[in-house]
Each structure stands twice: as C-alpha cells, then as structure tokens.
Amino acid sequence: MIWYPYQQMKTMRTPYEIVDAEGVYLYTKDNKLIDSVSSWWSVIHGYKHPEMNAAILEQVNRFSHVMLGGLTHEPVQRLSQKLEEFLPGDLNYCFFSDSGSVAVEVALKMALQYCMNRGDRRRTMILALEHAYHGDTFKTMEVGDDEDYHFVLRAYGPSQYVVHVPTEIEALEMAFAQYGEKLTCFLVEPLLQGAGGMRMYGSSFLKRARELCNQYGVLLIFDEVATGFGRTGHRFAADLVLPDILVLGKALTGGYIGHAVTVANRKVYEAFYDDAPDHALMHGPTFMGNALACAAALKSIQLFESQDYLSKIRRIEEITQRELADLTDPRIQEVRIMGGCACVEVKDPATLQGWQQFAYQQGVFNRPFLNYMYTMVPYIISEEELTQVLRTMKAWFTNS
Ligand SMILES: *Cc1c(COP(=O)(O)O)cnc(C)c1O
C-alpha cells in the first residue's frame, strides 16, 4: 500500500489517477487537466517533450547509471562543464545528489567543514529565514521554519544551532551583530520562499546579506531548488547577488528524473583541496551524477537557452498580472505575483475547501496548501491555457 506525502491517510481524498501526460496536460481516464503546479514546480518544459524524451532514450541505450565512486562518464562531465559556463561568477564546483533536501544537506555540511578545515571551530551555527523551507530531511527540517514541522521542535526543543530572521535588513544586521562570529553560513531561498507560503521579497535584502557575509566571514548559500531556472523571472537569483554556494534541484532535469546539485565557488572548494585526507568532503549519494538525470539536465538547459525561456516567463507574468488585476474579495489577504509564480493568500484556509475539486471540474489541476492558492505553471503554457487557469481561480471566488 502506498503511504502518500503530507496527508492524513485516514481522511485523505482519493488522489486523481494519471494515465498519460503531454504538454501542460495530465490525463485521467475521463478528464484532461492543465497542470498548474508543474508537478511540484519541476516540469518546466511540460510532459512528454519530444527532445527531452529523445535525450533520455539515447542515454538509456548506452547505460542508465554508473556510480561516481572511482568511475566517471561523459554526461556528468558535460553537465558540470555546462553548469560552469551557465552559472554566474566562479560557481564552478558541482557536487551532484538525488534530491533537493540532500543537496541542501551537502551545502550545510560544506559550510561547516569549510570552517573546520580552516581551523575555525567556533563556527557551528546557521542563520536562516523565518518561514524557510529547505527540505524534509532532519537537518533541513531544523533549518526550516515550516509550520508542518513543529512536531520536531516539540520533540527536541528549539535548536541551539539555528537562528531565524525575517526578510528585513534591520533584523538581519542585528542577527549578524549578535551571532556573526559563530555562523558558518546564511542559508536563504532568495526572492521567493516557496513552501513557506510563496513569500516574495526584494534583492536589496540579498545585497545587504552579501555585504554582511563578507564582513563577518560567513558563507552565503542560496537554495534555488525552487527559484532556479527562471521561476522568479530571473534565470537565477544568483545572477543578481552572487552566493558562495548555490543549490539547484526540481527544474534541473526539467522534472523528468529526480536530481540536484550543490555548486560551490572557488573559495569554498579551496578549503577542501589540499593533502590532508580528512579535509575531503565525505559524502556520496548512491545515485549522484546518474547518467539519465545528467542527459535530461543537459537537454533541459539547452532548451531553456535556445527557446528563450526568459521571455516566455515574462509573458506568463504579464498575462498573470492582467488576469488577476481585478481579483478582489474580502476573503483574500493578498495576491502576489513574481515571474512564473502567482499566489492568492486567503485569510482563512476554509475558503479553499473544495477548490481543488472545483478546479478539476474546470479542467485544471491545482493543489493548495494552508492559506495559499498558487500556480507555478510549465513555461510552455499557451496564453489560452494560462488564462483558463487564472479565470478558474477567479471563478472560485465569484462562485463560492
Ligand atoms: C522542494 C525544495 C527542497 C527539497 O527538494 P526535494 O527534491 O523535495 O528533496 C529544498 N529546498 C527548496 C527551496 C524546495 O522548494
């Protein structure tokens, strides 16, 4: 029996069974649904993309997987070279893993060991944001500030190693003044905090964070598992402000196969690169650098560049602004739009009861959580399809 995610199994609604998928559409036996959340924000090129499929099939016919322990192969070499070119600054050292949570764990481990390798044993703490989400593994739950994980807090009490700050410059300066000498890193979801409620903030906060990190000798880590590859309207938030470590996942492979990467800059890499065996990074997920995932990621990045996805995303943002401009309702707290993400935050989660089923009837798959009705559409969506999604959202407020 399947144990489904984030659900009380006793009361959960039967999930929709998908039998086929193509473009932005998911097909059940008797319905056709626009996927307005891109399968947890990852399927940016849509389903059954002919070039993505061909790239994976070509690799399947050579080999699907070999481990990176003592072995290497062309797809992983080409992908790390491609990322080196594609990513800003000297973010050049790619450590692959199989999921975003693990890639964040690797980033945190790198930051701690970076300090230890340099003989700095005072630094053991992590600064993170209020409402942060960085994954579901134990350390990522500890650095996160997700309401759904407060059972961990109840079990262990507040963490001695993690401090949370709001996205306000003054609070950030105070946190650095108080903890700056003890921090290994400042970990953030830049510009857009996803699972913590689609919260959006400006790059001035990140610019100040960069200055403070330099001043206090703290590594800046961007978790761009959700924001990477255009979701905020920028290729990466790292194009605006350069972090020391960048984490990518979700859309990295166009959503075709789970994979993630933790990319370090030269300064971080050099703290590990010497003759001492105990200065090595002791990590190695079984499926890191999986050849099918690398082939998918290479093709995904190629499509992103050659098809000018940034202008597609700009178009999605314009249509969303236009369509949601007249969405007002006393039950709505705020409507937020950034790049390829839109969020309608309601005051009371009860307002969204029945919304998913309503959307299903209108040919849209959507999955709200807590107070948030949101979209993260595939970038290949047409204007007509996107309008259908957004009008369905508005119709919920006029009809319920
Ligand atoms: C989804 C997500 C993760 C976790 O990625 P998984 O592949 O689900 O482990 C980490 N950080 C952010 C910002 C995410 O959105």
Side-chain angles (χ1 to χ4, degrees):
M1 131 139 225
I2 301 166
W3 197 334
Y4 285 94
Y6 305 123
Q7 294 282 350
Q8 173 49 264
M9 294 299 291
K10 189 169 177 187
T11 53
M12 88 178 253
R13 191 188 52 72
T14 311
Y16 304 123
E17 186 172 341
I18 301 308
V19 295
D20 199 0
E22 184 164 11
V24 297
Y25 290 98
L26 299 169
Y27 293 85
T28 62
K29 222 164 57 222
D30 43 27
N31 202 354
K32 176 183 170 190
L33 304 164
I34 299 174
D35 181 358
S36 63
V37 293
S38 306
S39 274
W40 270 330
W41 330 339
S42 64
V43 184
I44 58 175
H45 313 289
Y47 299 94
K48 211 186 286 183
H49 190 288
E51 290 186 55
M52 290 293 297
N53 279 21
I56 294 166
L57 283 171
E58 196 185 307
Q59 185 56 41
V60 154
N61 287 327
R62 295 206 180 100
F63 56 92
S64 296
H65 179 69
V66 298
M67 68 179 186
L68 281 196
L71 302 174
T72 191
H73 54 82
E74 193 193 316
V76 75
Q77 289 166 350
R78 281 179 51 215
L79 179 58
S80 70
Q81 264 163 33
K82 183 71 218 179
L83 288 169
E84 207 175 312
E85 278 166 43
F86 192 59
L87 297 176
D90 61 348
L91 290 165
N92 291 344
Y93 303 89
C94 300
F95 191 97
F96 294 98
S97 56
D98 32 29
S99 76
S101 305
V102 173
V104 173
E105 297 274 352
V106 170
L108 295 173
K109 196 163 164 180
M110 273 180 186
L112 176 62
Q113 201 179 341
Y114 168 85
C115 297
M116 294 186 72
N117 283 1
R118 290 155 43 105
D120 184 351
R121 295 182 158 267
R122 291 166 312 160
R123 294 182 185 269
T124 50
M125 294 181 75
I126 297 162
L127 186 63
L129 295 178
E130 285 177 6
H131 306 290
Y133 175 83
H134 295 290
D136 293 351
T137 53
F138 259 79
K139 195 68 184 180
T140 60
M141 284 193 290
E142 190 183 331
V143 293
D145 182 32
D146 193 301
E147 290 176 40
D148 292 335
Y149 293 151
H150 283 173
F151 75 94
V152 176
L153 262 182
R154 290 199 292 275
Y156 295 102
S159 170
Q160 313 163 36
Y161 297 105
V162 179
V163 180
H164 291 108
V165 286
T167 50
E168 292 157 14
I169 288 178
E170 209 174 309
L172 186 67
E173 288 170 344
M174 277 164 60
F176 270 91
Q178 191 173 354
Y179 301 104
E181 312 290 327
K182 292 185 185 158
L183 296 172
T184 63
C185 63
F186 179 33
L187 169 66
V188 299
E189 292 161 89
L191 303 179
L192 169 64
Q193 296 185 273
M198 306 298 158
R199 292 161 197 270
M200 299 165 187
Y201 64 95
S203 60
S204 57
F205 178 83
L206 298 173
K207 292 202 174 95
R208 186 70 187 120
R210 181 67 274 178
E211 291 168 3
L212 289 163
C213 282
N214 292 347
Q215 187 185 329
Y216 286 88
V218 172
L219 296 177
L220 181 60
I221 305 178
F222 280 4
D223 175 355
E224 295 218 50
V225 170
T227 56
F229 299 99
R231 190 52 73 183
T232 66
H234 306 280
R235 276 181 347 143
F236 301 98
D239 287 331
L240 308 179
V241 173
L242 195 60
D244 298 295
I245 301 175
L246 174 65
V247 184
L248 300 174
K250 291 196 166 93
L252 173 67
T253 60
Y256 278 67
I257 303 173
H259 222 64
V261 64
T262 309
V263 190
N265 69 5
R266 184 166 193 88
K267 178 175 87 175
V268 171
Y269 184 74
E270 279 182 346
F272 291 77
Y273 189 81
D274 62 34
D275 295 317
D278 66 333
H279 285 185
L281 180 63
M282 298 308 285
H283 210 94
T286 304
F287 293 109
M288 72 182 292
N290 172 271
L292 298 181
C294 291
L298 276 162
K299 180 53 74 179
S300 177
I301 296 170
Q302 193 191 325
L303 289 170
F304 192 93
E305 286 187 296
S306 67
Q307 309 292 306
D308 191 11
Y309 270 50
L310 286 178
S311 65
K312 290 189 205 294
I313 296 159
R314 223 169 294 127
R315 188 91 189 95
I316 289 170
E317 179 170 343
E318 278 164 20
I319 296 165
T320 309
Q321 297 277 10
R322 184 191 75 206
E323 288 297 318
L324 297 187
D326 59 353
L327 176 53
T328 53
D329 188 284
R331 293 166 292 179
I332 295 177
Q333 177 72 32
E334 191 180 37
V335 178
R336 297 188 279 274
I337 299 166
M338 182 186 272
C341 174
C343 176
V344 180
E345 178 176 344
V346 296
K347 291 173 182 155
D348 179 355
T351 304
L352 301 179
Q353 247 167 46
W355 152 244
Q356 185 172 57
Q357 293 82 328
F358 175 83
Y360 180 91
Q361 297 305 328
Q362 314 295 315
V364 173
F365 174 69
N366 192 269
R367 183 179 178 279
F369 61 97
L370 303 170
N371 297 27
Y372 313 104
M373 168 197 270
Y374 76 94
T375 59
M376 291 235 200
V377 293
Y379 301 148
I380 53 135
I381 197 165
S382 71
E383 175 157 1
E384 202 187 345
E385 291 156 346
L386 179 56
T387 307
Q388 184 185 335
V389 170
L390 298 167
R391 293 194 177 159
T392 302
M393 288 165 74
K394 286 196 286 191
W396 173 249
F397 288 95
T398 41
N399 295 359
S400 69

